[in-house]
Amino acid sequence: MPRVANFFDVNDCIELYNSGMSINQLANKFGVSRATINRRLKSSNVYLRTQSESETLKWSQMDETTRKRQVQKAHQSTIGRHVST
């Protein structure tokens, strides 16, 4: 079975990535794999964010309610736990 070619505007992809959209979000938007987005960005000499930079960006874009919901379970699991030094 031949591969289905998905064509998308690489310049649009680069602009969205540089504005803060993740590779996963771009892959979903354009209907291609993350590997395809990675390959197209690399071939266009776009600096790819590190995992740490991606996490920092993700957390900076969250509002306070979303941030609280994100950490709520972790905080609840530590209630009443004694931490020895």
Side-chain angles (χ1 to χ4, degrees), residues 22-29 34:
S22 72
I23 288 177
N24 193 39
Q25 290 170 327
L26 289 168
N28 290 332
K29 177 178 176 56
R34 290 181 309 184

Side-chain angles (χ1 to χ4, degrees), residues 26-81:
L26 289 168
N28 290 332
K29 177 178 176 56
F30 293 114
V32 295
S33 69
R34 290 181 309 184
T36 299
I37 298 294
N38 250 336
R39 193 170 43 254
R40 297 281 176 91
L41 292 175
K42 282 180 183 178
S43 68
S44 298
N45 294 319
V46 173
Y47 171 77
L48 297 180
R49 293 185 283 271
T50 64
Q51 183 64 41
S52 179
E53 292 167 335
S54 296
E55 286 295 314
T56 301
L57 180 61
K58 177 182 81 173
W59 283 87
S60 72
Q61 292 175 341
M62 285 185 197
D63 61 9
E64 191 165 340
T65 305
T66 306
R67 201 173 303 123
K68 283 182 179 178
R69 190 175 62 240
Q70 185 81 9
V71 298
Q72 184 177 20
K73 296 277 183 184
H75 285 245
Q76 287 175 347
S77 70
T78 63
I79 292 174
R81 191 175 94 195

Side-chain angles (χ1 to χ4, degrees), residues 6-21:
N6 285 328
F7 297 101
F8 60 93
D9 184 10
V10 176
N11 292 326
D12 187 29
C13 181
I14 292 169
E15 186 177 320
L16 290 170
Y17 182 75
N18 287 334
S19 71
M21 193 175 263

